[in-house]
Amino acid sequence: MMRSERLTRPAVAPHSGLVLFLRTHEGGKAFGVEAREAGTGAVRWSSAPWKPSGRTAEFRADDVQLVVTSKNGKDFAALVAPAQEGVDAVDRGVATAIAAIFAADSAGKGVAPVREVKVPGAGTATPHDSAGTLAFADGTGARVVDVTTGAVGSRLDRGSREYLLKVDQYFRMDDAWPSQDVLPTGAQKEDVPNHGTSHGVRGGHVAASWPSKKEESSSLGLPMNFVWALHEERTGKPVYALACEGLTEGGGISSESRAVLSDNGRYLVTGYVAFDLQAKKGYCFGGTRDRTRVDFMGVDNAGTAYGTARTPGTGVPVSVDLATGAHAELGGATLPTRVTGDVALYATAPQNEKDPAADPARHPVLRVYPKR
């Protein structure tokens, strides 16, 4: 078991087998990254303290992010601080996002950032899992930074296709492409589109649900029967479609069961469906008269997906073997916060003042166990 010991904001570097943490220095004046082996907790590397600004009035320690993005199998960690440069008692300052980029395959102590980037008018960052980018959005649009070069792209208008893919990631499909061009096999055609819904952009794919040609309604009038599809992120072209019969959309999709990709990029789960991208297979676990709906939260590199069977009044943790579709109940087990490689990560709030986490609201304890 590994404990995080006052480290915060855990993030997984999927290709590196590391869990990265935000470490706060000098009472919130400086910050760093600490990288630990996911399986053992051993420290692989740690960064030198980084200050977003020499004037602490320009940023808030609580706003500093640690995010991970990847490109061509290489992971990058970014410390991001929304700031108000030049703020004082009179001037409100200029909104700027300041980021320090680190290579996740670093080694040793006192690691320096490979580059620093400033993005005018932006705040928090949204990472892309395979493009090696960070999207910085404000109220009207966004700018995208390539972490491998530090280049800041031209401004994206809010609602544009690139904005939806890089920032929103959960959108109506017809807002990005004409529906008739990306309609998957088995999906219902409508005179007025607006019926395809993205549930996440992962691994170069958009996972989306569409009303089926066999659409029905439950006894409560809720929609049933959907087609789930994986679409190419760049073109919207459907590459695989899965008919999913049962009560699906009517039950909603919780935030913890949105699209998740296995670290090796082969398996994707979202809501109550699971895909094997290599074999181009999928499994539907929508609720029917004979079957309980399963909401997935993660999947490992071996193709075992984990989720909750939504039985009336309660939820039962289950696993599903994506090679066969067979499922198993996990008894009284608690589902992890994240599955990565061969380990499971559990983030819990401290229960008493003697716990090594200093502040229960901001410093959860992270425990890591062998997955099985």
Side-chain angles (χ1 to χ4, degrees), residues 42-324:
V43 177
R44 172 85 67 83
W45 61 272
S46 58
S47 75
W50 171 74
K51 292 185 177 182
S53 168
R55 299 181 64 245
T56 56
E58 293 186 345
F59 65 90
R60 296 178 64 251
D62 289 348
D63 293 336
V64 176
Q65 293 177 275
L66 170 60
V67 294
V68 175
T69 182
S70 308
K71 187 174 184 178
N72 297 329
K74 184 178 176 67
D75 300 320
F76 296 87
L79 292 173
V80 179
Q84 292 293 128
E85 288 194 307
V87 68
D88 59 24
V90 176
D91 294 325
R92 298 183 184 276
V94 178
T96 307
I98 306 169
I101 312 298
F102 299 84
D105 59 1
S106 298
K109 296 182 179 180
V111 173
V114 294
R115 60 187 50 87
E116 295 187 27
V117 182
K118 288 188 177 182
V119 184
T124 57
T126 301
H128 190 284
D129 69 341
S130 59
T133 60
L134 301 176
F136 293 86
D138 55 28
T140 60
R143 290 186 183 273
V144 175
V145 173
D146 184 336
V147 301
T148 67
T149 64
V152 180
S154 57
R155 186 172 180 78
L156 305 177
D157 291 334
R158 184 179 179 88
S160 65
R161 180 186 301 171
E162 285 300 305
Y163 183 96
L164 295 175
L165 293 169
K166 292 292 197 311
V167 179
D168 191 329
Q169 301 187 10
Y170 300 90
F171 52 86
R172 297 188 319 191
M173 292 294 286
D174 69 292
D175 285 340
W177 301 280
S179 286
Q180 63 269 20
D181 293 346
V182 297
L183 195 74
T185 301
Q188 180 184 128
K189 294 183 179 179
E190 293 186 357
D191 294 335
V192 180
N194 305 345
H195 60 300
T197 304
S198 165
H199 296 282
V201 182
R202 300 290 183 273
H205 296 88
V206 179
S209 63
W210 300 80
S212 170
K213 290 179 180 178
K214 299 180 180 180
E215 183 181 25
E216 297 180 5
S217 297
S218 70
S219 59
L220 297 178
L222 298 174
M224 298 178 66
N225 300 349
F226 283 75
V227 170
W228 284 77
L230 295 178
H231 300 256
E232 290 181 356
E233 179 183 348
R234 304 312 308 168
T235 66
K237 178 182 176 181
V239 295
Y240 179 76
L242 170 70
C244 193
E245 297 183 358
L247 182 59
T248 53
E249 281 299 286
I253 295 181
S254 59
S255 59
E256 65 268 21
S257 61
R258 286 182 166 179
V260 177
L261 190 71
S262 63
D263 288 353
N264 61 5
R266 175 169 177 173
Y267 303 99
L268 186 151
V269 296
T270 177
Y272 17 73
V273 296
F275 295 96
D276 181 336
L277 279 66
Q278 180 175 307
K280 292 189 177 180
K281 293 172 61 178
Y283 297 95
C284 167
F285 281 81
T288 68
R289 180 180 299 176
D290 303 316
R291 185 183 63 211
T292 298
R293 167 179 148 180
V294 176
D295 288 334
F296 292 108
M297 54 69 57
V299 59
D300 65 25
N301 286 339
T304 301
Y306 298 87
T308 301
R310 299 297 181 185
T311 55
T314 186
V316 177
V318 297
S319 64
V320 177
D321 183 345
L322 299 188
T324 64

Side-chain angles (χ1 to χ4, degrees), residues 10-52:
V12 171
H15 303 91
S16 309
L18 299 175
V19 182
L20 309 178
F21 297 92
L22 172 69
R23 183 179 283 281
T24 302
H25 300 272
E26 301 178 27
K29 296 180 181 179
F31 307 88
V33 180
E34 183 165 301
R36 297 195 178 198
E37 300 280 356
T40 67
V43 177
R44 172 85 67 83
W45 61 272
S46 58
S47 75
W50 171 74
K51 292 185 177 182

Side-chain angles (χ1 to χ4, degrees), residues 1-7 346-367:
M1 179 182 76
M2 177 182 74
R3 300 186 71 170
S4 60
E5 301 171 354
R6 299 180 185 267
L7 302 173
Y346 293 83
T348 58
Q351 298 300 310
N352 60 66
E353 61 208 18
K354 295 181 180 180
D355 202 291
D359 183 343
R362 300 172 185 161
H363 298 264
V365 176
L366 187 77
R367 293 175 170 86

